[in-house]
Amino acid sequence: MSGPDLLIQGGTVVSGSTSFVADVAVKDGLIQAVGAPGSLPEARETLDATGLFVLPGAIDVHVHFREPGYTHKEDWETGTAAAAMGGTTTVFEMPNTHPPTRSLAELRDKQAAARKAYVDFGIYGLLAEDNIGELQGLIDGGVNAFKCFMGNTFGNLPSPSTGAMLEGFEIIAPSGLRISLHAETASIMAWRQQRLIAAGRNDPLAHIAARPAVVAAEAVARAAILAEWTGARVHVLHISSALELGPLRDAKARGVDITGGTCPCYLLLDSSDYARLGSVIRVNPPVREAADSEAIWAALKDGTVDLIETDHAPHSPEEKTKAVIWEADCGFPGVETQMPLMLNQVSRGRLSLQDYVRFSAEQPAKRFGLWPAKGRIEAGAHADIAVVDMARTETIRAAALHSRGKVTPFEGESVTGVPVHTLVRGRFVQRDRRLVSEARGHGRQVTDIQRMPPPVLNHADQTLASVLRTPTPS
Ligand code: NCD
Ligand code: ZN
């Protein structure tokens, strides 16, 4: 074999099931070989990874990069720079930009904005009440997944009625693309919020009162029924409650192709943090009780919750800091802090490094069609790598984040375990905790590698398209 471009020497290579000391040879953007230390041919360049861990880069299926339309919050350059610094090598970007990604023309505009990306990316198309006729165009145009906002959140996109959702599921199901759900039922929250406002509740905890766990669980159960009926693949984003785990488990047991994700805030924060953090902690769905966090931790470990995503949702300090809770924008940046926060949990013994790799890289790759090209450190895969120093301690400082969103509930948190180099298809995008600015524009859309097995469709003869084709009985 001809010599590699780069040899990563002596690190501990980690997968979801094993870890071992090895050298990793990288050539032409791919992992050429993984072998015993000293066994691989010499390379043009070497990286000494002795004492470090070599992980597949994180694959984050839930980021909001805000471009076009809200670039004072973030854009594709700052968002993907933050990802590079955080050891994240692929992101899937959400459609609640302005305009939203709801048609082919808007997909093309987003692809143009994404040309400055440091890391690889997927693009979500929107499934809403008013774009059912655009869904096929988005599929043919190369979206990587769909997003359905069952409840209102930032961007105030009208959430689809159950009727529109079902037709959307019918259209998307044959493509096999996964539909990620913001699973909170709009009508319940709108009703409760209006009653809370009328009663004079403006405090941070009123945010939980407007969106109790039943709001999420009802949405998960309803979406699972539509997924089961059609055969559409779905993913429950940002699982925040113990109650949602019931309908998620039930649907999995019935054979529905449904997956679930959660975010660091639901694992690491709870209602006792509202007094300290005020409106900064406002996120949809809300951070809930300590018992919810405990249940989500257990569900990650037993596989009910499949993966960790970040819901990276940056806003400006003015937008986040409000006396009236209803006026504060929801969400905070996460793509840069996810890996250090979770590695810190590894350092504390709450999680193994192998589990972490399963949740952050393997499962997202498998569930969103990027496996076996991404999500593993093995010959033939993309050289998407986070080299991690588990002995390094840093303090999270919002002001130092590469994201434009400089407000985080994790301000001042000390974390042990940090990605010190990030490679995307063999190229350094972060090196020694510094962004490699020449790598701007290296990222590309993952369309060409996305391969989902053919979906199993149900009730195809009863889809709206099918019944409308059938002649009227005489
Ligand atoms: C997200 C945002 O700001 O775009 N906010 C949030 O609170 N999670 C939207 C979303 O994912 O719900
Ligand atoms: Zn959401």
Side-chain angles (χ1 to χ4, degrees), residues 62 64 147 149 153 181-182 237-238 284-285 311:
H62 189 176
H64 301 267
K147 170 75 175 275
F149 291 96
T153 182
L181 307 160
H182 181 111
L237 295 162
H238 44 43
N284 297 328
D311 188 8

Side-chain angles (χ1 to χ4, degrees), residues 62-79 93-101 110 113 147 149 153-156 283 311-316 319-320 329-333 403-405:
H62 189 176
V63 303
H64 301 267
F65 285 166
R66 308 301 192 201
E67 184 178 5
Y70 304 112
T71 50
H72 67 288
K73 294 177 191 279
E74 194 77 289
D75 65 30
W76 275 89
E77 179 170 351
T78 53
E93 206 271 341
M94 287 294 174
N96 58 333
T97 44
H98 189 69
T101 319
K110 186 156 278 188
K147 170 75 175 275
F149 291 96
T153 182
F154 177 73
N156 265 323
V283 59
D311 188 8
H312 176 85
H315 300 286
S316 72
E319 292 163 337
K320 278 303 288 176
D329 275 351
C330 300
F332 29 79
S403 170
R404 209 161 268 155

Side-chain angles (χ1 to χ4, degrees), residues 200-225:
R201 285 285 303 270
N202 292 319
D203 56 294
L205 285 167
H207 181 56
I208 307 185
R211 314 167 93 108
V214 66
V215 168
E218 194 267 354
V220 172
R222 186 157 48 94
I225 288 172

Side-chain angles (χ1 to χ4, degrees), residues 277-280 316-324 327-329 407:
L277 293 167
S279 59
V280 167
S316 72
E318 303 71 52
E319 292 163 337
K320 278 303 288 176
T321 327
K322 302 276 187 184
V324 173
E327 292 172 4
D329 275 351
V407 181

